[in-house]
Each structure stands twice: as C-alpha cells, then as structure tokens.
C-alpha cells in the first residue's frame, strides 16, 4: 500500500495570487542555497540507509503502514541475543511468519544451526524459502498442535508475531509446547498494543486479526500457565542492548524452559 504524494497545486491552487507569489519567491532563491539543500538531502538519505542494522527502511515502512513486523525485529536483535545466550544461539528454532528470512540470516552466522516453523501458507514465498522447506530446514506446520520435535531439541526457541494471532484457547497449548522443545529458554517477540492496525488480509491469512497484549497481560499469563520469566537473561539482554544503543520496537520476553 503506497501513499499518494502530496500535490503542491492543491495547496496553492485555491489561494489565487498565492501560487504566483510562491513561484516568484522560489525563482529568486540563490543558486548556492539550492545546491546546499540538495547536498544535505542526499547526505540525510545516505545516513538513513546506513543507520541501524540494515532494516531501518523496512521498519519505517512498517510503522507508517501500521503493520509492524516483530520478525524484522528478530533480525535486528540477533547480535544482542548472541551476547545474551552465548552458545545457546548456535542452535535455534524460529517460529513465526516469514521464518525463512530469520533462518536464512541465522545460517549466515558462524557455527550456527537454525531451523524454522512457518505457521501459515507460503504459496507466495520466494525460491530460497521454498528450497529451505524442501530441504526440511523450515517446516510448514499448524502451531495450534504439538510440534514434531522431542523435548529439549533446541537450546533456544524464538517466536515472533505468531502468538499475536492465537486466541487464549490455542495460546495455552502452543506456548507451553515451545517451552517443551527448548533446553535453555524461549524468547517471545510480540507487538505493543496499538502498534498494528487490523487488516482484512490478516483475517484472511491468519484466521483472525492480531491481538496485541500489554506487558502486564503477558506477565499475568506466564504466571497462570506456570511459565517462569528468565530475569537473568532479561538483564543480560537489556545491558547488551544499552551498550549497543539498541532500542527494541517490540516487546521481548525471556522465558525459562520446563525443567
């Protein structure tokens, strides 16, 4: 969805001589000033593309369109997760929409094994994603049912966006199952309330619009389902994020695995 560019004639067309005055004043602007403004504009654009972790543009577009993706946030957070979990990041299961992109990026990390679970249809996926599925690295599976993995199969499980589309009935089954297949912990990336607009496309693809819950709701839910928050990991993550000047655009929760 693209936004229409503003038509300057609309702003001044109803003002009569205002348009001519604007045109005249613009024509008298010193050439040097125009050159300086152009150079500054180019520098700002270059700085924008090189800021962050390479996903700044995508993040900006997502926020503008009201459809922010926490899967993009996982990609930004990988260096911070490595500092938090150390060896745990060397074998990871990612669960959520666009899992192929997360897995593909994790596989670029040195000595890292990565698998993924894509909960939704991938008919529109690119050739690289379909190759990962064909090779069994990424599975297409309904996460409302138990995952086909043994207990503690992965040191670390990362889930993004997927839980936002589950009703409490299925959430009560899915999140404990993620804790079951993890050995060292589960990291949950979820949106802030009000961060995303409900779209008809969401309902058609995911079965329901996203339900973005507050941190208080999640903390209460974790207690009710006997899922323990990992305060030590949360502190490490927060400290590493501060040193790296990283500010999360999603809520991030660190949970302990079932013992």
């Amino acid at each position: 969805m693209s936004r229409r560019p503003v038509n300057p004639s609309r702003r001044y067309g109803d003002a009569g001589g205002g348009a001519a005055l604007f045109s005249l004043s613009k024509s008298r602007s010193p050439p040097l000033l125009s050159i300086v403004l152009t150079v500054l504009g180019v520098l700002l654009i270059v700085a924008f593309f090189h800021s962050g972790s390479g996903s700044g543009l995508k993040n900006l577009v997502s926020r503008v369109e009201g459809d922010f993706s926490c899967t993009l946030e996982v990609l930004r957070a990988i260096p911070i997760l490595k500092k938090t979990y150390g060896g745990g990041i060397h074998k990871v299961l990612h669960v959520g929409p666009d899992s192929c992109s997360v897995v593909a990026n994790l596989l670029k990390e040195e000595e890292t094994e990565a698998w993924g679970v894509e909960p939704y249809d991938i008919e529109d996926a690119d050739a690289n994603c379909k190759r990962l599925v064909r090779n069994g690295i990424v599975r297409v599976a309904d996460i409302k049912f138990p995952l086909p993995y043994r207990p503690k199969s992965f040191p670390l499980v990362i889930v993004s966006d997927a839980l936002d589309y589950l009703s409490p009935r299925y959430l009560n089954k899915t999140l404990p199952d993620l804790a079951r297949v993890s050995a060292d912990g589960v990291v949950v990336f979820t949106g802030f309330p009000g961060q995303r607009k409900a779209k008809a496309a969401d309902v058609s693809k995911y079965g329901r619009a996203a339900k973005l819950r507050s941190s208080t709701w999640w903390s209460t839910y974790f207690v009710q389902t006997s899922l323990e928050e990992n305060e030590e990991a949360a502190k490490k993550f927060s400290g590493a994020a501060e040193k790296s000047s990283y500010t999360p655009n999603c809520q991030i929760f660190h949970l302990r695995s079932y013992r």
Side-chain angles (χ1 to χ4, degrees):
M1 175 176 174
S2 59
R3 297 194 168 203
R4 292 183 179 179
V6 176
N7 187 346
S9 64
R10 285 191 174 182
R11 295 184 176 177
Y12 303 100
D14 297 332
L21 178 61
F22 174 79
S23 177
L24 179 61
S25 62
K26 184 177 179 182
S27 66
R28 291 181 179 176
S29 299
L32 180 59
L33 177 60
S34 299
I35 294 173
V36 170
L37 290 175
T38 301
V39 171
L40 285 175
V42 172
L43 290 176
L44 286 173
I45 292 172
V46 172
F48 172 76
F49 276 104
H50 286 278
S51 63
S53 301
S55 57
L57 179 59
K58 290 184 179 179
N59 291 340
L60 178 63
V61 171
S62 297
R63 287 196 293 271
V64 169
E65 297 299 334
D67 186 27
F68 192 87
S69 168
C70 285
T71 296
L72 290 176
E73 192 65 25
V74 173
L75 299 179
R76 291 184 62 226
I78 287 176
I80 313 300
L81 290 169
K82 289 176 67 176
K83 294 177 181 177
T84 303
Y85 288 94
I89 199 71
H90 290 309
K91 188 176 182 181
V92 185
L93 173 68
H94 174 263
V95 178
D98 202 19
S99 189
C100 289
S101 66
V102 176
V103 170
N105 276 273
L106 284 169
L107 290 174
K108 294 176 184 177
E109 300 290 326
E110 188 176 353
E111 298 180 359
T112 298
E113 298 178 31
W115 287 266
V117 173
E118 170 58 65
Y120 307 106
D121 183 54
I122 61 164
E123 283 186 5
D124 298 331
D126 60 23
N128 183 54
C129 181
K130 291 180 178 179
R131 179 181 59 81
L132 291 172
V133 172
R134 198 164 50 247
N135 293 339
I137 297 173
V138 173
R139 291 174 180 261
V140 180
D142 190 340
I143 60 173
K144 294 192 290 290
F145 301 97
L147 295 175
Y149 301 112
R150 295 179 179 179
K152 302 187 183 301
S153 293
F154 306 92
L156 191 66
V157 173
I158 301 172
V159 56
S160 59
D161 290 322
L163 302 182
D164 296 334
Y165 292 96
L166 295 179
S167 65
R169 173 188 174 188
Y170 291 115
L171 189 60
N172 291 339
K173 299 177 181 179
T174 299
L175 195 48
D177 193 50
L178 297 180
R180 175 187 68 83
V181 301
S182 69
D184 296 336
V186 178
V187 184
V188 177
F189 286 74
T190 181
F192 288 102
Q195 196 172 46
R196 181 183 321 183
K197 300 174 184 176
K199 290 185 175 182
D202 280 359
V203 178
S204 129
K205 181 174 182 179
Y206 305 127
R208 57 180 284 141
K211 176 72 173 178
L212 302 182
R213 302 159 173 113
S214 68
S215 59
T216 302
W217 187 96
W218 280 110
S219 295
T220 303
Y221 172 78
F222 295 147
V223 172
Q224 291 175 345
T225 51
S226 301
L227 289 165
E228 184 182 354
E229 291 192 66
N230 189 336
E231 295 182 3
E232 182 181 354
K235 287 180 181 178
K236 283 185 178 180
F237 186 91
S238 179
E242 185 176 353
K243 289 180 180 179
S244 302
S245 300
Y246 165 74
T247 302
N249 291 311
C250 292
Q251 298 183 91
I252 303 175
F253 300 98
H254 303 263
L255 305 177
R256 294 187 183 279
S257 303
Y258 283 138
R259 297 174 181 175

